[in-house]
Amino acid sequence: MKNFITLNDLPSFDAALVLAKSLKKDPYAFEEHAKRKTLGLIFFNPSLRTRLSTQKAAQNLGFNTLVMNFSNEAWALEFEDGTEMRGIRSEHIREAAAVVSQYCDVVAIRAFASLTNKEQDEAEIVLNSFAKYASIPVINMESATGHPLQALADAVTLSEHPTPHKPKIVLTWAPHPKALPHAVGNSFVKMMEHQDSDFVIANPEGYDLDPRITKNIPISHNQEKALKNADFVYSKNWCSYTNYGSILRTDDKWMLTSEKMNLTKNAKFMHCLPVRRNIVVSDGVLDNPNSLVIEQANNRTFAAQAVLKIILDHV
Ligand code: CP
């Protein structure tokens, strides 16, 4: 695996899951693996979990880490070729990626969607340009269209809560005052291809995810019907995909509440965090012992550690 841009880049999803779980049991099993190697972490957007868990994962493998906030600490990057760089963009990605490659052995990048231009977001210009011009492996720490490290961690969390029957898993849209990207939802849906489950996506009309990703997964526009007998409920906001970047509704009808969780089969609650309390989900759901959100955050370390180890083993 040269780069980890999407879950499809993994040589074997199942092997990565097994590795992440074994690293959770013994985080220092490969503590010398990346001795004298450096992981660069480049952020164009804020982060708590991804920044800390990926650094911790790297350190567990023996990496040194360099962290840089590119949104306000680096020169503004130009991604187009052949332009006269007269504006505010002072450095071209060709040089920037090549220079980062001099200091690092692997680089991990976070670059969210603009949500203003669907074609540009789907082209994944930042991630793909780094992958093109860097001479080192590139890891996706959430891009415009995907968050595969979160999805692998979520697979670890699901595997830690087996059910006596094939589980029903519901990914339900939630309200949010800001337009949020589709990355977490997209990667969760892709990860679910590897689960033996009854999987349903619930979202209001106008909020269907990219049909090229959801394919033939059932989509319900009736949240309460979808939640019936669920074993796991994953709540997440995303903005409209068809009316790209728009917020079509702000009412709290789709907020996940304890009353709605009573429709489920005592379901576990999941969310990638950060989460807005009593907007996305009520206090009662988040503070219930069935909430797995902190376990999900913990598993981010071991998902990242597995990806880093797989990358090192294939360089
Ligand atoms: N879930 C997640 O990626 O969290 P951060 O945005 O805090 O990294």
Side-chain angles (χ1 to χ4, degrees), residues 43 46-51 110 112 141-142 147 150 184 272-274 300:
F43 288 88
S47 169
L48 191 167
R49 281 141 291 271
T50 305
R51 181 166 173 167
R110 166 165 282 201
F112 287 175
M141 293 196 295
E142 188 171 344
H147 197 356
Q150 180 69 52
V184 170
C272 61
L273 303 181
R300 291 292 307 275

Side-chain angles (χ1 to χ4, degrees), residues 75 77 92 97 112-113 130 158 176 225 283 298 300:
W75 304 109
L77 291 182
H92 201 279
F112 287 175
F130 268 98
L158 285 171
H176 199 281
K225 199 168 156 193
D283 285 339
N298 184 30
R300 291 292 307 275

Side-chain angles (χ1 to χ4, degrees), residues 3 62 107 127 144 166 188 200 240 254 275 294 304 309:
N3 300 314
V107 63
L127 261 285
K166 187 154 86 163
F188 188 78
V200 180
S240 174
W254 280 70
V275 69
I294 305 303
K309 175 153 189 313

Side-chain angles (χ1 to χ4, degrees), residues 126-196:
V126 178
L127 261 285
N128 286 334
S129 299
F130 268 98
K132 186 172 177 185
Y133 297 118
S135 55
I136 55 176
V138 173
I139 292 176
N140 181 351
M141 293 196 295
E142 188 171 344
S143 65
T145 63
H147 197 356
L149 287 175
Q150 180 69 52
L152 183 57
D154 292 340
V156 174
T157 308
L158 285 171
S159 76
E160 291 173 335
H161 295 275
T163 52
H165 50 269
K166 187 154 86 163
K168 179 176 178 184
I169 302 177
V170 180
L171 170 64
T172 180
W173 181 90
H176 199 281
K178 284 178 64 182
L180 296 189
H182 308 94
V184 170
N186 286 346
S187 289
F188 188 78
V189 171
K190 284 189 179 178
M191 181 276 287
M192 289 301 297
E193 291 173 12
H194 302 274
Q195 303 290 332
D196 183 22

